[in-house]
Amino acid sequence: MRLLIKNGLVVNADGQAKQDLLIEGGRVKRLAPRIEVEPTCEIIDAEGCYVMPGGVDVHTHFNIDTGLARSCDDFFTGTRAAACGGTTTIVDHMGFGPSGCRLRHQLEAYQGYAAYKAVIDYSFHGVIQHINAAILDEIPMMVEAGISSFKLYLTYQYKLNDDEVLQALHHLHRAHALATVHPENDAAIKQKRAEFITAGKTAPRYHALSRPVECEAEAIARMINLAQLAGNAPLYIVHLSNGLGLDYLRLARARHQPVWVETCPQYLLLDDRCYERDDALKFILSPPLRNASNNDALWCGIADGGIDVVATDHCTFSMAQRQQISGGDFSRCPNGLPGVENRLLLMFSNGVMTGRITPERFVALTSTNPAKLFGMWPQKGLLAPESDADVVIIDPKRTTTIRHEMLHDNADYSPWEGFICQGAIRQTLSRGRVIYHNGKFTGSAGQGRFIRRQPFSAKHAPASGTHFNERNQ
């Protein structure tokens, strides 16, 4: 199958040019100012549009069972929504398995969840929920199987203590794997939650008050120091929500530590005033939404290179689930927000179209940097000969109003309801096949492939905090 995208502005993380793009056999064949092909070639005219690498979302939670509830998006509805929002690859954070289970247990379970369902290409992060000799010995085998990043939790049911974190960091570093960390101070959260619950303060706003900025920032600082003690092990901080944590990360980079950081659209565009709304249960997630000054601090990180990746942490529990399970009590409410379909357009509208970031920086944050960090580049995150023909075409002249009734996930609400975005996702291509076209999903379940990711390599990773360091030298 041959397909030619003509007249578009092709954007990669390192530059842009008005070019035609020829696709053959699911890969990019050629880019040139003008390409002529025989009449049998299918043609997409992208005049006036951006032609960009498909989005790479490295933080989703599909089909996750938290113990309280199972999320309502599985690997079909979740990846369908991703595809309709211009995302062509996801790396899902696997949930906890049974107590004492081996690492491969969850990998095998999740392979079963995704096979024959995923619409787009996918991989998984390993999850380390306890430490013993068998688990540590299993890490290199997981890396060999294509799982080159692992999640460590500092809170929740299977949190790791500092000794366990140090052991994990040492062994992950040795196995050429990247440690991704959910950083919150578990003891402080437990104490504050207990105080609020004892006082009968269980409204949604107390969720945010029970997990203040300091709980997250302290854990970030602790992880930075533990990574240094573990032989300068590479470290990736997930879903950063506040400026103080970003300050600690900047200090680490000034010491030339290999640390990278991810944030999410909700921490850039929503704030804690959502907890005063009648539908506040919709916005319970961890870490919680912060105040507007933290939004501003994170936008500075987006602009100056302090933040490397924008992902979603898509974890969908319907409003009906939330109300039924919690009865309005924040401490019993499942955590997480939907958003995998909205990430690219929100960032394009609020970043590129406002002049906060360039189109190249947008591609770096949403596609190239995550592909590099998680062992998928140059297959993903790049439009160049021999890369996968994963493409999103964005029309900057159109306007999109987000309405949940128009989305493709399995939730019953959107936190982005009514947001007006300058721009529209026109087409999404996965390995050369159009899977979304002008509002219509055209893909099919099972066409997504498992990506065996390469071992982590600092050589291929994006330069950590480049813009910030250059500006301040």
Side-chain angles (χ1 to χ4, degrees):
M1 180 177 137
R2 306 181 83 201
L3 186 149
L4 179 63
I5 302 174
K6 292 187 66 68
N7 305 318
L9 185 63
V10 176
V11 184
N12 280 306
D14 60 355
Q16 58 177 279
K18 187 76 175 289
Q19 290 181 308
D20 294 349
L21 187 154
L22 179 64
I23 295 168
E24 282 189 11
R27 294 191 175 185
V28 176
K29 177 70 173 178
R30 184 181 168 210
L31 294 103
R34 185 175 179 82
I35 299 176
E36 298 293 344
V37 295
E38 63 269 19
T40 56
C41 183
E42 183 180 349
I43 293 176
I44 294 175
D45 187 351
E47 181 70 43
C49 295
Y50 291 99
V51 178
M52 296 172 163
V56 178
D57 190 345
V58 292
H59 195 156
T60 62
H61 294 280
F62 298 147
N63 208 52
I64 190 171
D65 185 350
T66 66
L68 279 174
R70 184 176 291 275
S71 64
C72 58
D73 274 318
D74 64 11
F75 277 85
F76 172 65
T77 62
T79 58
R80 178 183 63 185
C84 295
T87 288
T88 52
T89 306
I90 59 102
V91 184
D92 196 78
H93 281 281
M94 298 188 289
F96 296 132
S99 179
C101 72
R102 59 198 177 102
L103 296 179
R104 285 200 67 92
H105 178 279
Q106 285 304 86
L107 177 58
E108 291 164 3
Y110 270 72
Q111 289 281 28
Y113 296 156
Y116 311 111
K117 285 194 172 184
V119 170
I120 58 175
D121 291 350
Y122 61 92
S123 187
F124 311 107
H125 303 282
V127 59
I128 298 178
Q129 60 191 64
H130 64 281
I131 293 290
N132 58 34
I135 291 294
L136 297 175
D137 288 344
E138 203 177 348
I139 289 172
M141 292 183 282
M142 292 282 284
V143 175
E144 179 68 22
I147 305 300
S148 55
S149 53
F150 294 78
K151 182 81 163 281
L152 313 178
Y153 287 88
L154 304 188
T155 189
Y156 298 136
Q157 179 183 1
Y158 290 107
K159 75 177 186 70
L160 301 182
N161 63 36
D162 290 352
D163 172 65
E164 292 168 328
V165 167
L166 268 172
Q167 291 183 66
L169 288 170
H170 272 295
H171 282 77
L172 291 172
H173 191 13
R174 188 181 305 161
H176 303 289
L178 180 60
T180 78
V181 181
H182 176 122
E184 290 185 288
N185 186 301
D186 184 72
I189 291 169
K190 281 183 176 177
Q191 183 180 33
K192 296 193 75 66
R193 279 165 61 96
E195 290 172 357
F196 287 137
I197 292 168
T198 299
K201 297 177 178 180
T202 58
R205 62 193 174 100
Y206 292 104
H207 169 72
L209 294 172
S210 72
R211 307 177 97 97
V213 164
E214 292 78 10
C215 286
E216 182 184 3
E218 181 281 328
I220 289 171
R222 179 158 38 102
M223 281 303 308
I224 287 168
N225 288 319
L226 290 174
Q228 179 67 40
L229 291 171
N232 210 21
L235 180 66
Y236 181 91
I237 299 296
V238 304
H239 53 45
L240 178 72
S241 73
N242 72 87
L244 179 58
L246 183 57
D247 288 342
Y248 288 139
L249 289 157
R250 293 190 194 279
L251 287 172
R253 287 166 166 173
R255 298 196 307 171
H256 306 291
Q257 274 193 249
V259 296
W260 293 270
V261 61
E262 156 199 301
T263 193
C264 309
Q266 54 266 33
Y267 301 121
L268 296 165
L269 300 170
L270 301 176
D271 62 48
D272 57 3
R273 287 173 293 183
C274 291
Y275 296 120
E276 302 302 324
R277 293 171 41 162
D278 291 340
D279 59 354
L281 276 178
K282 292 179 180 178
F283 300 95
I284 288 185
L285 75 164
S286 298
L289 302 176
R290 308 299 188 187
N291 61 30
S293 66
N294 283 291
N295 296 155
D296 293 341
L298 296 180
W299 272 113
C300 289
I302 291 288
D304 68 18
I307 290 172
D308 305 284
V309 171
V310 175
T312 59
D313 194 11
H314 180 101
C315 187
T316 307
F317 300 97
S318 69
M319 188 60 172
Q321 282 176 297
R322 291 166 182 263
Q323 290 172 325
Q324 180 180 10
I325 293 168
S326 73
D329 182 339
F330 81 86
S331 68
R332 299 201 302 266
C333 185
N335 279 225
L337 294 186
V340 73
E341 187 166 349
N342 308 119
R343 176 183 66 126
L344 290 192
L345 196 52
L346 287 167
M347 292 304 299
F348 181 83
S349 179
N350 292 279
V352 176
M353 297 306 290
T354 61
R356 280 168 159 155
I357 56 174
T358 64
E360 292 91 337
R361 178 75 175 136
F362 168 84
V363 169
L365 288 162
T366 61
S367 185
T368 305
N369 285 356
K372 286 184 172 182
L373 281 163
F374 293 99
M376 297 180 287
W377 191 86
Q379 179 184 5
K380 306 292 186 184
L382 176 69
L383 294 179
E386 297 307 313
S387 67
D388 284 354
D390 293 346
V391 184
V392 59
I393 300 175
I394 301 179
D395 186 344
K397 300 180 296 298
R398 289 165 56 186
T399 299
T400 302
T401 301
I402 298 175
R403 301 290 185 197
H404 183 261
E405 63 191 26
M406 300 170 60
L407 300 180
H408 298 82
D409 59 32
N410 204 32
D412 58 2
Y413 80 99
S414 170
W416 308 108
E417 188 74 25
F419 269 63
I420 299 172
C421 297
Q422 183 59 46
I425 306 297
R426 207 182 83 174
Q427 276 122 347
T428 306
L429 286 74
S430 174
R431 284 181 277 107
R433 178 178 174 182
V434 177
I435 57 174
Y436 175 79
H437 178 78
N438 283 333
K440 184 178 179 181
F441 172 65
T442 58
S444 58
Q447 73 183 78
R449 297 177 183 171
F450 172 69
I451 303 296
R452 290 174 61 96
R453 296 183 289 118
Q454 297 298 310
F456 174 78
S457 170
K459 176 182 175 182
H460 296 132
S464 180
T466 300
H467 294 71
F468 173 81
N469 288 334
E470 288 176 353
R471 192 184 68 176
N472 289 276
Q473 282 178 349

